[in-house]
């Protein structure tokens, strides 16, 4: 299979994630779209690593997965806090945490 096909899939996944972040108002859906964008970037890193014959892209993808796991913990904690206080997971309610 042509490695550039993976780049096309990565671009499509990243576009779907970006559209989801811009269009959706539910915090959990936006959160999943951000994760989709990170996975698309990981696919690109691994593909370029495969094309160039080095392990650099795979190492960067591994560290991106570590950062994404940390982001999941913090992001879900914030979403749970918003839901407990407002009974809604809407992004519009996120500004209410400033009080």
């Amino acid at each position: 299979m042509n490695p550039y096909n993976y780049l096309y899939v990565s671009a499509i996944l990243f576009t779907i994630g970006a559209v989801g972040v811009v269009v959706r108002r539910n915090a959990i859906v936006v959160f999943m779209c951000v994760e989709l964008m990170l996975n698309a970037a990981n696919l690109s890193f691994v593909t370029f690593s495969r094309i160039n014959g080095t392990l650099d892209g795979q190492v960067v993808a591994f560290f991106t997965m570590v950062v994404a796991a940390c982001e999941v913990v913090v992001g879900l904690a914030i979403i749970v806090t918003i839901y407990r206080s407002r009974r809604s997971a809407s992004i519009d309610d996120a500004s209410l945490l400033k009080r």
Side-chain angles (χ1 to χ4, degrees):
M1 185 171 190
N2 189 1
Y4 294 105
N5 291 338
Y6 292 111
L7 293 176
Y8 297 141
V9 170
S10 174
I12 291 169
L13 288 176
F14 192 86
T15 303
I16 292 170
V19 168
V21 167
V22 171
V23 172
R24 303 297 286 190
R25 301 306 303 167
N26 188 346
I28 294 175
V29 174
V30 170
F31 200 61
M32 288 191 309
C33 290
V34 169
E35 292 295 322
L36 187 65
M37 291 168 53
L38 286 174
N39 285 326
N42 283 341
L43 182 59
S44 293
F45 286 138
V46 171
T47 301
F48 282 125
S49 173
R50 175 81 176 178
I51 290 171
N52 294 330
T54 62
L55 292 177
D56 297 340
Q58 294 179 7
V59 171
V60 171
F62 176 74
F63 283 116
T64 305
M65 286 189 285
V66 170
V67 169
C70 296
E71 178 217 353
V72 166
V73 172
V74 174
L76 285 178
I78 292 170
I79 291 171
V80 167
T81 302
I82 292 170
Y83 183 78
R84 283 185 180 173
S85 64
R86 301 292 175 204
R87 295 290 179 214
S88 173
S90 177
I91 294 177
D92 299 330
D93 294 337
S95 64
L96 298 175
L97 289 177
K98 293 179 184 178
R99 298 181 196 171

